[in-house]
Amino acid sequence: MTFTQDHLLGIEHLHPVEITTLLDLAQDYVALNRSAEKHARALKGMTQINMFFENSTRTQASFELAGKRLGADVMNMSMAQSSLKKGETLIDTALTLNAMHPDLLVVRHGNSGAVDLLAQKVNCAVLNAGDGRHEHPTQALLDALTIRRAKGRLHRLTVAICGDIAHSRVARSNLILLGKMENRVRLVGPGTLMPKGVEEFGVEVFDDMKAGLEGADVVMMLRLQRERMDGGFVPSEREYFHRYGLDAEKLAYAKDDAIVMHPGPMNRGVEIDGAIADDINRSVIQEQVEMGVAVRMAAMDLLAQNLRRRRERDRLRSIAHE
């Protein structure tokens, strides 16, 4: 298998072959997670620290479960009461972490680039669980695995990403990954929720849902992120649902076998009609949650393999210099 990364900070750093390698391993972990004996030994003897400066119940729980199923010692740090709240810098936090000798560090932070900064200062593998508006790589990877399982491939598909594009790191990671895997990506939503310079992303942009969903293989809805908005981006939730919420009428413009996705948590009746979200023939939203554990297991397994090799090289180099 080909995977050369020391950290998983974003999709933009990954080669298509590395994406495929990770998804192939994740597929094996799907089978493990569905078996009676759900434990492996890939991280046995290793320590995983989860640092979530932003709350995310499902992502943190998914990483915690992934680490434990691989045999790691997992610790969740309560960042709401951390020393950072008392004025400690992120770099000082990194130095403190180094003294604990962790092997895997999972970080979610409200500022773009914060996870990358930590990765430069710690002596372990770092996984980005979402940083500001930058990236959320494991979400894009679990979405990719879900699509591949449903469609039998992850290339030459038409994927419509709909809603609050401007504030979504999920959208950014997905459009990068889908582009690398040679898919046709459409961004659908109001102009107020489109990022600046969107035309440079190599995607098609629509402000009309029916036109944007025409012939789509995958319809990916996004949460309306009001906590990241500092102005009137949408007139009202009712009006937003009327124009951009996914219902049966709009979904009819996509292909008959199109799948419906949502990274969660969902605002039913705002971004998606509850009947569509629960439609077992179209919705793969619950499978996305399941794939999240498998993908995070695969990512940590691959990073741990590289970390062990790197540490062994350093050890041998040190012996040679003595």
Side-chain angles (χ1 to χ4, degrees):
M1 295 189 295
T2 303
F3 192 87
T4 62
Q5 304 295 319
D6 293 332
H7 309 286
L8 182 58
L9 303 178
I11 299 299
E12 59 189 336
H13 303 292
L14 299 182
H15 188 276
V17 173
E18 292 179 308
I19 293 171
T20 300
T21 294
L22 196 152
L23 296 182
D24 288 347
L25 181 56
Q27 182 66 37
D28 293 338
Y29 280 129
V30 172
L32 176 73
N33 290 335
R34 290 181 175 182
S35 68
E37 177 56 55
K38 297 178 173 62
H39 294 286
R41 299 171 59 85
L43 301 184
K44 185 171 178 59
M46 291 189 138
T47 300
Q48 170 190 337
I49 298 179
N50 297 331
M51 297 173 60
F52 278 61
F53 297 87
E54 288 184 328
N55 292 329
S56 176
T57 302
R58 74 181 63 207
T59 302
Q60 183 168 338
S62 181
F63 268 112
E64 182 176 358
L65 191 57
K68 288 181 175 178
R69 285 184 177 172
L70 290 176
D73 295 317
V74 182
M75 181 178 78
N76 295 314
M77 292 184 66
S78 177
M79 303 317 297
Q81 281 75 45
S82 74
S83 297
L84 287 173
K85 297 289 185 180
K86 303 171 185 175
E88 182 176 84
T89 68
L90 199 59
I91 292 176
D92 284 332
T93 298
L95 295 174
T96 300
L97 288 169
N98 268 337
M100 299 180 188
H101 302 291
D103 302 290
L104 297 152
L105 187 61
V106 180
V107 185
R108 171 172 286 214
H109 201 284
N111 295 333
S112 302
V115 182
D116 182 65
L117 177 63
L118 271 174
Q120 296 173 34
K121 304 296 181 181
V122 295
N123 300 320
C124 64
V126 176
L127 295 96
N128 184 358
D131 64 324
R133 298 183 188 180
H134 178 227
E135 279 220 48
H136 193 350
T138 56
Q139 179 67 49
L141 288 162
L142 73 87
D143 289 343
L145 182 60
T146 305
I147 292 170
R148 194 175 80 167
R149 286 169 58 86
K151 293 297 180 183
R153 68 186 196 278
L154 189 60
H155 61 281
R156 293 195 294 277
L157 295 168
T158 299
V159 183
I161 304 176
C162 312
D164 187 359
I165 311 293
H167 302 98
S168 177
R169 55 199 174 202
V170 172
R172 177 177 170 81
S173 286
N174 265 302
L175 68 89
I176 295 172
L177 187 151
L178 293 166
K180 284 178 182 282
M181 305 307 285
E182 301 178 2
N183 294 282
R184 181 181 182 184
V185 181
R186 300 173 179 172
L187 301 182
V188 188
T192 54
L193 295 180
M194 286 291 167
K196 293 179 181 178
V198 68
E199 62 279 351
E200 300 173 6
F201 294 169
V203 298
E204 300 172 82
V205 180
F206 295 83
D207 63 1
D208 178 76
M209 276 286 280
K210 294 174 181 178
L213 297 190
E214 182 71 41
D217 297 290
V218 178
V219 180
M220 185 181 297
M221 304 307 297
L222 298 173
R223 183 172 65 86
L224 198 60
Q225 299 191 37
R226 290 197 173 277
E227 73 276 11
R228 299 187 189 277
M229 299 180 186
D230 54 8
F233 287 85
V234 295
S236 70
E237 290 187 348
R238 182 177 178 181
E239 175 66 18
Y240 182 83
F241 180 73
H242 174 70
R243 293 196 61 190
Y244 298 104
L246 186 65
D247 54 21
E249 180 185 359
K250 299 185 188 78
L251 183 57
Y253 285 82
K255 288 184 179 178
D256 292 340
D257 63 347
I259 60 172
V260 174
M261 309 180 75
H262 194 299
M266 286 183 291
N267 293 309
R268 292 171 181 255
V270 179
E271 304 127 12
I272 188 169
D273 183 84
I276 298 296
D278 298 331
D279 185 347
I280 60 173
N281 296 312
R282 308 298 291 276
S283 172
V284 293
I285 294 171
Q286 289 306 309
E287 184 165 358
Q288 286 176 266
V289 177
E290 180 187 3
M291 294 306 107
V293 178
V295 158
R296 286 157 183 144
M297 290 172 74
M300 290 193 290
D301 184 347
L302 291 169
L303 290 173
Q305 291 180 43
N306 291 346
L307 180 65
R308 285 191 174 106
R309 281 192 287 266
R310 191 165 69 251
R311 286 176 173 173
E312 180 62 13
R313 284 196 302 269
D314 291 344
R315 186 185 71 82
L316 294 174
R317 213 174 278 127
S318 176
I319 292 173
H321 289 155
E322 289 179 358

